Every structure is written in C-alpha cells, then in structure tokens.
Amino acid sequence: MPPIMGTGGVTAAQALVEFQAILENATIGIMFSRNRAVVQANPLCAQMFGYRYDEFIGLSGVELYPTPEDYAAAGRAGGPILSAGQAYEAETPMRRKDGSLFWCRQSAKSIDPLHPHAGSIWIMEDVTEDRLMRDALEQSTAELGAIFDAALIGITVLRERRIVRCNPRFEELLGYAPGQLAGKSIRVAYPTDAAFAAMAGIYETMKDGSPHRREESLQRRDGSEFWARISGRTLDPESPAAGSLWLIEDISAEREAADRLRAALAEQEMIFDNAAVGILFVRNRFVQRCNTRFEEIFGWPAGELVGRSTRVFFANEDEYLGLGARAYDVILRRRVYIGEQEVIRKDGSHFWVRVTGRRVGNLQGNSFDVIWIFEDVTERRHAQEELLRARDELEVRVVERTQELATANAQLQGEIYERMQAEQRIWHMAHHDALTGLPNRALLLDRLGQALAQGDRNANNIAVMFLDLDRFKSINDTLGHHIGDELLKHVADRLRGVVRAVDTVSRLGGDEFVAVRIEGHELRATPSIGISVYPDDGAEVYTLMKNADTAMYHAKEAGRNNFQFFMPRMNAAAERFFKLEHRLRGAVEAGQLRLHYQPLVDLQSASVCGMEALVRWLDPEHGLISPGEFIPVAEETGLILPIGEWVLTEALRQNRRWQEEGRPALPVSVNLSPRQFRQGNLVETVSAILAETGQPAALLELEITESSLMHDMDETLDKLKALSAMGVRLAIDDFGTGYSSLAYLKRFPVHKLKVDQSFVRDLNEDKDDAAIVSAIIGMAKSLGLDILAEGVETEAQLAALIEYGCGKFQGYYFSRPLAPEQADALFRPAVLN
Ligand code: C2E
Ligand code: MG
Ligand code: MG
C-alpha cells in the first residue's frame, strides 16, 4: 500500500504506526475499497455504518447502499470520474447494518487512476444532522417567503435607506406595481424632503437592536397621503450593514375612527360640563363624577364631590334611604326614575330638585352605575304654588264676573232684540199702511225708484196702476168706517193675492176695489184704474204717479168701473180741475155764487109747497157753471163748508125777502153735502144762521143723502134730533141710490123722502124702476113720511107717480130751477094754472 503522505525521511514502520493512529482518531470515516469490497477502514467508519470493525472489513460495497440499484447508480456516476483520476463527491443516503439509512457525504479518489484495481479511498461523513437542519431552514425560508408575500402588512428591508426587498402589500400601500420599488430610495414614501431628512437620525437609536415605532403620514405614488403605523428594527445589530426591517400599516381608517371618537367624546364632555342641568355619575351611591352645573346647584367647590357618598345631598338618613328605596327599585329594572326631591346644599340649605335617574352599563356583581340628572325646581315650585293660589282667586273672580257678564249680556241681548224689534216696527210703520199692512207711499216711491233703475238696465216697461174704489165714500158714510176699513183690508188681501212677488201693491190712503161679503153686508165695490207706463208716460217716479192718478180720474169721469191708460191730453183735464179749484176758492168772496130755486109742488092742493135752493156759479169767464161740476171739487177740497154756509144764509135771506115782498111763507129746502152734515158744529151753525136771518126753523128743510145718514149712527141721530127739536124739517134726498136701512129710517126723525130722479126717468119703460118707486112710496107711507118724486118731466111720469100714491113732485114738468127774480113763475108754475 503506497504511503498516503510524504514520509519525510521517517521509516516505513513508524509511518505505518502514525498512519494507523490517524485512521483510528480521525473524526471522519475513512475507508479503502478494492474490487467492490471494504479493504481497510477506520473504526469510526465501521461505527458510522453500525458494524463491528471486524465485520466491516471485507464487507461488500453493495451492502452499504440502500438498494443494489443505488449501488449500481453510484458506480455508474462515480466510476468514470474516478477513472479519470478526479475526485468523486456525492451526498447520498447510505444503509446501516440494521437497515436504517443516513445521509452520507462522500468524497472518493482513485489510488492509481491507471490501475483501477488498485482501489480507491473514501472519506465518509454522516451529514444527516446537517441535512435535517438544511431542510428545516429551506422550509422555514419558504414559509417566511409565503408570509412575506401574503402579509396584510407592508414589509420592507432597507439598506442605506434603500429598498432591498419589499412585499406586494408594501408596494400596494405606496401605490406601486410589483417590482417597481426594489432598489429605490425610501424617500419615495415621504411627502417632503424635510420629512425624509428628519428621519435620518433614527438609525442611530436602532443600532443597539431596540425597535423604532412611530405613526406618520406617508405619501403614495400619486401624491396622496395616508396615516401609517411604522415599526422597524436592524436586521443584525452586530452587522449594521445588513440593513433594517420595516413594517408599515395603513391606519387611516383607524385614525379617523379615533378622531371621531375623540371628537364625540370632547363633545360629550362639553355638553356634560356646560349642561344646564346637573349631571351626576354614581356607583353604589358614591360620586364618580359630576358636572359644573351640579356643583353650582348643590353649592360645592369644583372637584370636591368626587368619591363622596351621595348621603351629603340629603337632610337626614330617612330622606337618603327613602329616595334609595323609591328610585333604585325602578332603576334596577332599567327604567327611568323621575321624581321631585327636597335636598340640601353644602351649606345645609334646603331646596327642591327634579331628579331623573337611570342605570348605565351592566351590573357587575351588586355594583352598578347610575346617571342622575338634577334640575333646581325651587323657583318653579314657588311659581307653581303662586300660580295655583292666583288661579284659585282668579277662578272665584271669573265665576263672579262671568255671572255678571251673563246677566248683563242677557239684558243687552234683550235690549238689542227689543230695539231691533222696535226699529223694525218703526220702519214697518213708517213704510206701511197701518190698516192693510201694504207698503205706503214712501215705500212705494222707493220701490218704484228701484224698479225704474232696474228697468233702465233691463230695458223693461214698468206700469203704475192707480186704483180707486168707486163710491167708497158712500160705503164709509152709510155703513160706517168700521165696515169701510174691513172692505179695504179685503181688497188689499185680494190685490196681494193676484200680483206677482216682484210687484208692489200699495195703499196711499183712500179706497180700493173688489166684491166681498163683510159682516153680512153684500158690498159691491168697483174700481177705477189709471195706468201709466214707464218710460213712455214719464221718466221718473213723480211723473208716473201723477199721470197714473190723472188717468184714474179719467176712469172715474168715464163712468167709473173701468181703466184708462194715461194720455197726454188727460193732463189738460187735470189741469182744468186744479184751475177750477183755484177759481172756486175765490168765487165765494168774489160773490160769483148764485142761488136758483125750483118749486116743490103739492098736487092735492095744486100749489107750490116749498122751494129748493140750488147753487150756481156765475163765472165771468165760463158763464154759469152747474153744481154737478163744482160741488164734487168743493166737497173734495173742503170748500163746501164756506159755500154751504153761504147757501144756507142766502136761501134764508131770500125767503125772508120773498116774505117781505108778500109772497106766501113757504119752507126753503137747502142741500147739505155729507161733509157738511158731518161737520161737528152743524147744529150750532144752522141755529145761528136761522137767528141771523130771523127765519123760523119751520121754514127750513135740510136735504141730506142716505150716505150722510148712514155714517155714524149715534152722532147722526143726535144731530137729527137736535135739528128736529129746533123745528127744522129733514128730507132724504136722492132716496134709493144709497144704502139705507129701514130700521134706521124708522128711528130717525126725518120727515120726507125724495125719490131719486133716476127711478122717475124710466118709470114708464122700466118695470123694475116702477116697482122700486111703488115700494118706496108704500114704505114711506107706512112710516108716516112725506114722499116727493124728483125729476118729473112728463105727464106720463106724473100720471104713474100719482097712480103709485105719490102726492108731491119736483121737476121740469112744473118748473126749471130759476133765479129768484123770477119769483112769479116760481110761486105759480104754469102747469098749476
Ligand atoms: P138735487 O138736490 O137732487 O137737485 C135736483 C137736481 O135736479 C137739480 O140739478 C135740478 O136742476 C135737477 N132737476 C130738477 N127737475 C128736473 C127734471 O125734471 N129733469 C132733470 N133732468 N133734472 C131736474 P142741479 O141744480 O144741477 O143740482 C144738482 C145737484 O147738486 C143737486 O141735486 C144737489 O145734490 C146738488 N146741489 C145743488 N145746489 C147745492 C147746494 O147749494 N148745496 C149742495 N150741497 N148741493 C147742491
Ligand atoms: Mg136736493
Ligand atoms: Mg135730488
């Protein structure tokens, strides 16, 4: 076996010993092989493979490999290398004697490459431990790499403030694409150069391995910033050049939340401190905290209450325990306790608070927190008490005043109602006719005015109809006002019934029309109607009224019981009437009146038995005017009174003159119109004139009409009695045309009936008239009254009248009325001769 090492002049034996010592003490396995078997080895090598030394020497090489295939493969791999004289090195599993495997690092070299059978030397090393360590390291490195890559935290390794490595999250945080940051200065993460420079010093503080931590705003690639929590450490304090490791977290959201929390907290703190109510935190009835207002309310210096028992707020133990009993029961059930409580300030003074308490947080064993809110209600309670007192007083006063007011109001209402009623009555009275309730002249004029205004707008015609009841006066005079009034009411009702609602029926005073039965009297009333139409007959109210009135008079003139439309010429007639009235007024004084006389004839004695005085008006302009024309005017205007007095006086004077002339003393008949008869001082006037003219009453006969008699029965009777007692004779003129009651006739002291000439006129032709005349004559006789027929014009009439039993006459047949100068003809009419 050739020496492995140079002999250096040592002997071979000695060299062998030394060599043997090396083999035996070597810390690695050494083995010689030849012909695929172990030739020589050191003990460590045998031990490495689990063999005794003697067993190991001579062992076939294949035994050392896990399988024969591994042995063959190793031969194939190593053979050529060894043959080439090179060192063959391998790390491969080898098999121990017990079959277990171990990692073995081998290096082999051929002893003589030119002679392969010379064998090879193997250095064997058990590297199982190394190998395991290496595997573990590789795995942990791989794991760390995975963590590094997947970490949600940014990780970077800096060296000389340059990025050596970084994980994807780090790149993402700073807004870079993968791989873009490696090699770049960490300056890119700082918003400013100053911020970057400011951090240069920290590496010094990290030298000893202590960590660095801070929070700072970092900049992204796009310039935007984010809050980062940064922690770093040197990789190896021993070798600063190894660099440092940095962890970066984005804490923007965290910071924002913290900011919000801080703000909310600050806000609450502010509210707490500035609250207008006292706030107290209590744990187990000990003060934890309170606000300024609470200290103010309870009069404690700032901060002095913390840690004290809430007992200090109560005047005594009972109060303290009382509130506890009341409130904690409620509070423990998580309800809110609300109450009012008398408490004390630090100085011991009492006052009232309103307390609200509720539990906060959860029970921790028996301990729990309560938040109390206090309001000082002392003033409010005082005010409330004041208010209650005031309200009670007020209530009493209100009740009193209400009663007073109610009474006053009721009175006032009553007064207002009465006044309204009175006003309405007054208004109604002022605008309505009292008898019929119809609108009066004032209201009519008003309504007509409105109608005209409306007529103008609507281009309507408006008619004004003037109604006058024919001979209403005679109804009034014969049956009395009472009956006349009833008639008017009925007429009013009927008129109301026939017009439309928009029409107005008005009573201007006077009379109307219609046929009705009143109190057993059959009254025949006929109307005379005058009509004027707007706008043709007048543009305004007064003209229309006047013209309708005028037309009505024409209806009367035209024989009554008819209607006439107004025509302009009617005004001329009306004018005549007014002129007539005017002239008539002066006629009496001007001495234009004359009396004519007509004899009354007694056929039996064939002599004149009286004279009737008939008035005439000798007008210088119009000549002689008959009484039929002017007596109605005089009657209407009242002129009849002076005229009547004049007639009476003149008739008596004339009669005296005739007597003085030696004519026979005959009674003179004087007509009295109804108005004259109604005159209050009639009797006195008559007796005065009789006295004045010196004529005996027996030579005066007064002719009155039926209507005069039937007017006011009692008064009439008195007058008739007085006149009769005086000796004046009384005759009923125009008998048969009016309404007279036989019963009354019997009671009245009248002496004569003068049958109206209308019956006499047609006596020979009209059987009815004849019958009436005959009846009147018969009745007069049975009543013991004188009877005289008027208007006898013919012999035939006279003959008939005589036949019916009439003995006295008056008429043209005997004589027309004549002037007194024709006394001869008067006293002895031709017929009688
Ligand atoms: P009377 O009292 O019935 O008078 C008779 C009227 O008949 C008179 O008309 C007379 O002229 C008229 N007469 C007499 N005989 C006949 C005849 O045969 N045929 C016709 N057709 N007529 C005859 P006169 O004078 O025109 O008077 C008319 C009426 O005027 C009177 O009717 C009387 O009611 C009234 N009257 C006349 N004078 C007065 C007077 O002084 N005072 C009053 N209050 N009334 C008077
Ligand atoms: Mg007469
Ligand atoms: Mg007559």
Side-chain angles (χ1 to χ4, degrees):
M1 197 170 162
I4 298 170
M5 303 167 81
T7 52
V10 186
T11 65
Q14 196 180 345
L16 188 64
V17 170
E18 283 174 8
F19 185 66
Q20 206 68 36
I22 289 167
L23 276 181
E24 275 167 27
N25 293 299
T27 56
I28 50 172
I30 301 168
M31 184 183 84
F32 291 100
S33 69
R34 195 185 305 131
N35 298 328
R36 302 180 173 226
V38 178
V39 179
Q40 187 62 272
N42 67 348
L44 189 68
C45 193
Q47 201 185 322
M48 200 183 293
F49 282 89
Y51 290 92
R52 284 196 323 272
Y53 182 74
D54 59 310
E55 285 174 334
F56 193 63
I57 301 301
L59 205 62
S60 169
V62 71
E63 297 292 328
L64 301 180
Y65 282 83
T67 61
E69 289 77 37
D70 290 335
Y71 177 69
R76 280 195 301 276
I81 294 170
L82 290 173
S83 300
Q86 288 175 335
Y88 166 69
E89 284 185 15
E91 199 173 290
T92 175
M94 300 296 274
R95 185 161 63 102
R96 291 197 190 92
K97 182 188 176 185
D98 59 8
S100 62
L101 301 180
F102 70 96
W103 276 93
C104 184
R105 187 185 296 142
Q106 328 172 309
S107 82
K109 204 159 181 186
S110 204
I111 290 172
D112 183 0
L114 298 176
H115 298 90
H117 299 288
S120 44
I121 182 165
W122 296 78
I123 307 293
M124 303 284 208
E125 210 178 340
D126 185 346
V127 292
T128 306
E129 293 264 306
D130 279 11
R131 189 81 203 191
L132 282 175
M133 231 156 72
R134 218 170 54 222
D135 283 356
L137 195 69
E138 261 169 27
Q139 194 179 338
S140 74
T141 305
E143 281 170 4
L144 279 173
I147 290 169
F148 188 73
D149 286 347
L152 292 172
I153 208 166
I155 305 169
T156 185
V157 175
L158 303 182
R159 205 171 288 146
E160 303 285 318
R161 304 196 80 180
R162 238 165 231 294
I163 299 163
V164 180
R165 291 176 66 187
C166 66
N167 70 348
R169 175 66 181 148
F170 183 80
E171 291 164 327
E172 190 190 326
L173 279 175
L174 291 177
Y176 289 84
Q180 274 191 336
L181 276 175
K184 283 208 161 70
S185 166
I186 193 65
R187 164 69 186 87
V188 297
Y190 289 89
T192 60
D193 284 335
F196 176 64
M199 285 299 137
I202 58 166
Y203 296 96
E204 202 60 35
T205 66
M206 291 160 67
K207 258 186 172 167
D208 59 351
S210 54
H212 169 82
R213 271 196 194 92
R214 72 171 195 276
E215 285 177 7
E216 190 177 14
S217 182
L218 295 183
Q219 192 187 38
R220 294 194 190 89
R221 191 184 184 184
D222 63 7
S224 62
E225 291 185 27
F226 67 100
W227 272 97
R229 180 175 296 130
I230 302 163
S231 46
R233 196 171 209 149
T234 23
L235 276 178
D236 184 0
E238 303 296 310
S239 55
S244 51
L245 176 75
W246 294 89
L247 305 182
I248 312 275
E249 275 175 275
D250 183 349
I251 54 163
S252 298
E254 208 177 290
R255 268 188 87 102
E256 264 171 45
D259 283 352
R260 273 201 301 276
L261 194 69
R262 236 190 330 275
L265 217 65
E267 220 168 72
Q268 273 185 5
E269 200 102 331
M270 198 183 70
I271 291 168
F272 184 77
D273 281 334
N274 294 295
V277 292
I279 303 172
L280 179 70
F281 276 106
V282 167
R283 180 171 298 160
N284 300 333
R285 306 200 81 175
F286 277 86
V287 175
Q288 299 294 302
R289 220 181 138 195
C290 70
N291 71 346
T292 316
R293 178 67 187 134
F294 183 87
E295 290 166 338
E296 278 169 21
I297 294 175
F298 283 81
W300 286 79
E304 245 187 57
L305 277 168
V306 178
R308 284 181 195 268
S309 163
T310 54
R311 169 70 182 78
V312 298
F313 305 129
F314 297 88
N316 53 54
E317 195 72 10
D318 285 350
E319 293 271 313
Y320 170 67
L321 294 175
L323 176 66
R326 282 196 301 279
Y328 280 94
D329 185 43
V330 175
I331 289 168
L332 277 172
R333 280 186 280 127
R334 282 238 174 256
R335 299 257 182 77
V336 176
Y337 172 80
I338 301 171
E340 289 200 356
Q341 177 73 35
E342 193 171 28
V343 288
I344 56 167
R345 297 192 186 85
K346 192 186 182 192
D347 62 12
S349 57
H350 291 239
F351 68 107
W352 279 89
V353 285
R354 179 186 148 92
V355 287
T356 308
R358 79 178 306 162
R359 206 173 98 197
V360 287
N362 290 318
L363 269 178
Q364 292 133 13
N366 280 336
S367 154
F368 57 90
D369 293 346
V370 178
I371 181 169
W372 290 97
I373 293 173
F374 291 82
E375 286 168 84
D376 186 345
V377 292
T378 313
E379 271 178 30
R380 203 203 67 206
R381 277 182 80 99
H382 282 321
Q384 219 166 31
E385 280 163 21
E386 280 294 316
L387 208 66
L388 279 174
R389 218 182 2 262
R391 198 192 61 189
D392 287 349
E393 281 170 26
L394 199 68
E395 223 153 72
V396 172
R397 244 179 298 155
V398 164
V399 168
E400 287 170 5
R401 290 289 295 144
T402 306
Q403 279 168 355
E404 284 171 24
L405 278 173
T407 316
N409 192 41
Q411 270 171 7
L412 199 67
Q413 290 288 330
E415 278 168 27
I416 288 170
Y417 180 73
E418 272 171 31
R419 185 174 313 165
M420 270 169 55
Q421 291 245 311
E423 275 170 9
Q424 269 175 11
R425 271 201 301 275
I426 288 166
W427 189 88
H428 196 270
M429 273 160 64
H431 292 85
H432 291 81
D433 171 50
L435 179 67
T436 59
L438 290 175
N440 65 6
R441 183 185 293 271
L443 187 52
L444 174 74
L445 295 181
D446 184 53
R447 295 232 182 122
L448 187 54
Q450 288 178 20
L452 293 189
Q454 226 152 28
D456 262 345
R457 278 202 296 277
N458 305 342
N460 280 344
N461 282 341
I462 293 149
V464 178
M465 303 171 70
F466 239 93
L467 268 77
D468 194 275
L469 291 188
D470 296 334
R471 292 184 221 284
F472 174 71
K473 233 173 229 133
S474 66
I475 294 172
N476 241 359
D477 291 343
T478 52
L479 300 180
H481 276 307
H482 163 63
I483 301 293
D485 286 352
E486 283 303 305
L487 175 64
L488 289 177
K489 283 194 218 167
H490 280 270
V491 170
D493 285 345
R494 287 213 173 176
L495 287 173
R496 257 196 294 256
V498 297
V499 300
R500 299 167 303 170
V502 291
D503 298 327
T504 297
V505 177
S506 163
R507 180 177 178 239
L508 307 184
D511 32 23
E512 276 101 358
F513 68 110
V514 109
V516 284
R517 291 187 70 84
I518 297 171
E519 291 194 352
H521 298 279
E522 171 129 357
L523 302 178
R524 282 184 204 283
T526 56
S528 296
I529 304 173
I531 305 168
S532 67
V533 177
Y534 170 86
D536 299 344
D537 299 335
E540 35 84 32
V541 174
Y542 288 97
T543 317
L544 282 171
M545 294 274 284
K546 198 188 86 202
N547 289 345
D549 194 25
T550 303
M552 189 272 289
Y553 274 102
H554 278 267
K556 293 238 181 235
E557 267 174 29
R560 304 173 198 263
N561 195 17
N562 74 90
F563 63 89
Q564 294 287 321
F565 279 94
F566 172 77
M567 282 179 284
R569 62 168 174 76
M570 290 177 177
N571 270 336
E575 223 167 279
R576 257 202 323 275
F577 179 91
F578 290 116
K579 273 189 188 154
L580 187 67
E581 183 198 346
H582 182 71
R583 283 189 288 124
L584 188 56
R585 278 185 191 281
V588 187
E589 289 121 62
Q592 294 170 356
L593 296 183
R594 298 280 181 279
L595 285 184
H596 281 193
Y597 297 89
Q598 191 177 29
L600 314 181
V601 177
D602 182 349
L603 208 63
Q604 210 178 355
S605 62
S607 64
V608 171
C609 60
M611 297 287 178
E612 179 173 3
L614 294 162
V615 71
R616 302 285 180 266
W617 176 13
L618 188 64
D619 183 66
E621 250 183 83
H622 300 90
L624 208 60
I625 301 170
S626 74
E629 250 183 88
F630 68 88
I631 287 291
V633 178
E635 175 84 10
E636 204 155 302
T637 55
L639 280 171
I640 194 68
L641 298 178
I643 291 173
E645 263 185 51
W646 178 85
V647 170
L648 186 60
T649 313
E650 179 53 29
L652 290 174
R653 274 193 194 141
Q654 181 57 51
N655 206 17
R656 198 180 68 185
R657 260 177 246 134
W658 277 326
Q659 289 156 20
E660 287 165 357
E661 284 173 14
R663 312 256 178 213
L666 297 178
V668 67
S669 296
V670 172
N671 293 283
L672 284 187
S673 76
R675 189 154 182 174
Q676 279 177 280
F677 188 75
R678 283 205 301 275
Q679 204 189 351
N681 58 355
L682 173 72
V683 179
E684 291 75 23
T685 307
V686 171
S687 81
I689 295 172
L690 281 170
E692 184 200 316
T693 55
Q695 285 288 295
L699 291 187
L700 176 63
E701 184 173 74
L702 294 176
E703 293 189 8
I704 50 183
T705 56
E706 285 170 292
S707 55
S708 295
L709 281 180
M710 296 304 155
H711 178 240
D712 182 332
M713 298 303 177
D714 294 338
E715 202 187 311
T716 302
L717 192 58
D718 287 349
K719 276 181 187 159
L720 293 179
K721 277 182 176 165
L723 290 168
S724 185
M726 231 190 275
V728 175
R729 290 175 57 83
L730 297 162
I732 298 180
D733 201 358
D734 302 339
F735 191 81
T737 56
Y739 303 89
S740 44
S741 153
L742 280 180
Y744 286 119
L745 274 182
K746 223 171 92 181
R747 285 171 57 201
F748 289 152
V750 289
H751 306 94
K752 185 196 275 178
L753 297 185
K754 293 181 77 173
V755 179
D756 189 70
Q757 53 181 314
S758 60
F759 300 111
V760 176
R761 196 179 303 132
D762 302 324
L763 189 62
N764 304 109
E765 293 85 35
D766 193 321
K767 286 218 167 60
D768 286 346
D769 283 355
I772 290 169
V773 171
S774 161
I776 293 173
I777 293 167
M779 182 195 72
K781 279 193 168 167
S782 71
L783 288 172
L785 294 173
D786 252 8
I787 184 99
L788 179 143
E790 295 183 282
V792 181
E793 292 183 357
T794 64
E795 213 171 335
Q797 290 167 340
L798 182 64
L801 287 165
I802 292 169
E803 197 191 316
Y804 295 139
C806 183
K808 289 179 176 156
F809 310 93
Q810 182 181 358
Y812 295 166
Y813 179 73
F814 298 99
S815 168
R816 289 189 172 257
L818 299 171
E821 296 81 43
Q822 297 174 284
D824 288 346
L826 279 172
F827 280 89
R828 179 143 294 275
V831 181
L832 291 179
N833 291 327

